[in-house]
């Protein structure tokens, strides 16, 4: 191996180790990322061996993977089937609904245009409120929440559409008073700091490395983007870090995907054979991200 090739490999390996140190992984959460990014748009089924191999690329042991899969099955997110000596796992219908919402947040170009007021009744209103706050809603009081319209809501909730009639220029002060935007801004800055160096190594990556880095990127971005409020631009500070993080995510995802998807199509199998490299939903994902780049 030449010195230049060896140096490139070392740079990629060093960056991957730095990212793993900066973004500690839990096996179950990383498997959720794997299914959402790679498996769901290709039918939702994957051989357990591929799950183990992919997690190993991110430093997660086989024992941890098997334990995590068992817990995901118990939690109703995965269901398994055995064909010969191989085990395959697919998403449950409930998990697919959750993944559809996450995919819209991560990969779609849609911007929330409507606001909702949500009233939570019953004995478990506090639990429901915590769930809404994790999805970016603001609590106006213990039972009344306010937020954008692209969040899945309980069918038991009382929901109103809310529109701005006047005072549009006060949206930023309203958002600053009801959302801790500084927390999300710092999370987005951390994402940018961690993954901006990937741009300098794009030409040096192999297929396996491209998939590993894309999964690590999606994993961290997903954690922030699913919790941050999806507010319209007029409600956010100028030079909002979320916009810069979104642009970086789109650029890297598009650039990494050629090699990452080639690895998937060459290595990953479901119960019918090799997973497709690109289907309609995957192509639509790339089109949407290209509009954000």
């Amino acid at each position: 191996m030449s010195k230049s090739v060896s140096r490139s490999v070392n740079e990629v390996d060093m960056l991957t180790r730095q990212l793993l140190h900066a973004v500690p992984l839990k096996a179950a959460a990383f498997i959720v990322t794997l299914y959402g990014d790679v498996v769901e748009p290709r039918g939702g089924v994957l051989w357990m061996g591929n799950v183990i191999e992919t997690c190993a690329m991110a430093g997660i042991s086989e024992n941890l993977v098997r334990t995590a899969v068992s817990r995901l099955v118990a939690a109703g997110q995965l269901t398994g089937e055995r064909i010969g000596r191989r085990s395959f796992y697919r998403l449950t219908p409930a998990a697919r609904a959750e993944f559809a919402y996450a995919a819209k947040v991560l990969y779609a170009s849609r911007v929330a245009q409507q606001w909702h007021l949500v009233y939570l009744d019953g004995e478990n209103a506090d639990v429901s409120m915590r769930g809404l706050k994790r999805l970016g809603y603001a609590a106006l009081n213990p039972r009344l929440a306010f937020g954008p319209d692209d969040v899945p809501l309980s069918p038991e909730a009382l929901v109103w559409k809310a529109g701005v009639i006047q005072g549009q220029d006060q949206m930023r002060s309203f958002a600053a008073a009801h959302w801790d935007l500084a927390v999300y801004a710092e999370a987005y800055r951390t994402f940018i700091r961690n993954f901006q160096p990937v741009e300098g190594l794009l030409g040096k990556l192999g297929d396996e490395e491209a998939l590993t880095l894309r999964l690590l990127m999606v994993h961290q971005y997903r954690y922030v983007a699913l919790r941050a409020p999806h507010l319209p631009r007029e409600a956010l500070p100028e030079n909002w870090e979320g916009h810069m993080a979104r642009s970086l995510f789109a650029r890297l995802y598009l650039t990494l995907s050629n090699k990452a998807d080639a690895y998937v199509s060459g290595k990953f199998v479901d119960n019918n054979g090799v997973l497709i490299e690109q289907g309609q939903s995957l192509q639509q994902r790339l089109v949407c991200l290209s509009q954000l780049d």
Side-chain angles (χ1 to χ4, degrees):
M1 182 182 291
S2 69
K3 290 184 178 179
S4 60
V5 173
S6 177
R7 186 162 53 249
S8 298
V9 171
N10 288 339
E11 288 175 343
V12 173
D13 186 55
M14 183 180 301
L15 176 58
T16 303
R17 289 200 303 268
Q18 289 172 348
L19 290 172
L20 290 172
H21 178 74
V23 189
L25 299 179
K26 293 184 178 179
F30 188 71
I31 291 168
V32 167
T33 296
L34 169 63
Y35 268 80
D37 185 55
V38 174
V39 186
E40 168 58 11
R42 294 174 169 87
V45 181
L46 188 63
W47 173 44
M48 181 64 169
N50 290 138
V51 178
I52 292 170
E53 292 165 1
T54 307
C55 288
M57 288 151 50
I60 302 172
S61 72
E62 180 175 343
N63 285 340
L64 288 176
V65 172
R66 292 190 181 279
T67 299
V69 168
S70 295
R71 289 175 177 170
L72 290 169
V73 170
Q77 291 190 287
L78 293 178
T79 182
E81 61 177 317
R82 193 167 183 87
I83 300 177
R85 300 182 63 181
R86 288 185 166 186
S87 295
F88 298 85
Y89 289 87
R90 69 174 66 243
L91 296 168
T92 63
R96 296 193 76 177
E98 292 179 18
F99 279 56
Y101 167 67
K104 181 173 66 173
V105 172
L106 294 176
Y107 310 113
S109 56
R110 179 176 181 270
V111 177
Q113 298 295 325
Q114 298 288 332
W115 296 89
H116 280 162
L117 274 170
V118 180
Y119 177 75
L120 303 170
D121 200 4
E123 297 180 355
N124 296 320
D126 57 335
V127 176
S128 298
M129 181 62 77
R130 288 197 295 272
L132 281 178
K133 290 171 73 174
R134 284 194 297 271
L135 292 171
Y137 264 59
L140 303 181
N141 67 41
R143 291 184 180 272
L144 188 65
F146 183 81
D149 69 345
D150 59 349
V151 169
L153 300 171
S154 167
E156 290 80 25
L158 175 60
V159 183
W160 297 270
K161 288 184 178 180
V164 178
I165 298 174
Q166 66 178 40
Q168 191 81 17
D169 56 349
Q170 299 178 38
M171 287 287 287
R172 283 197 174 115
S173 60
F174 174 82
H178 290 87
W179 283 275
D180 192 355
L181 295 178
V183 171
Y184 301 112
E186 178 56 31
Y188 281 127
R189 280 194 294 270
T190 298
F191 172 81
I192 293 168
R193 187 167 57 247
N194 286 340
F195 287 93
Q196 209 162 40
V198 175
E199 290 193 290
L201 295 176
L202 290 172
K204 304 173 182 178
L205 300 176
D207 293 355
E208 178 180 319
E209 295 161 334
L211 176 63
T212 302
L213 288 173
R214 194 182 76 179
L215 286 170
L216 292 176
M217 179 186 69
V218 171
H219 188 73
Q220 183 175 351
Y221 187 77
R222 170 178 169 269
Y223 182 84
V224 182
L226 289 181
R227 288 162 176 78
H230 309 148
L231 305 177
R233 284 183 176 268
E234 61 267 22
L236 293 166
E238 294 184 15
N239 301 317
W240 173 238
E241 288 83 351
H243 299 325
M244 292 179 277
R246 182 71 165 150
S247 179
L248 175 63
F249 175 84
R251 290 198 309 274
L252 287 177
Y253 196 96
L254 290 167
T255 311
L256 291 168
S257 286
N258 282 339
K259 291 181 177 180
D261 290 341
Y263 183 88
V264 169
S265 67
K267 298 286 187 178
F268 282 26
V269 296
D270 61 12
N271 50 0
N272 292 315
V274 178
L275 267 66
I276 60 172
E277 182 172 357
Q278 282 198 9
Q280 184 175 357
S281 64
L282 290 168
Q283 291 172 353
Q284 183 61 36
R285 175 186 293 183
L286 297 177
V287 168
C288 288
L289 288 173
S290 69
Q291 296 169 351
L292 296 168
D293 183 13

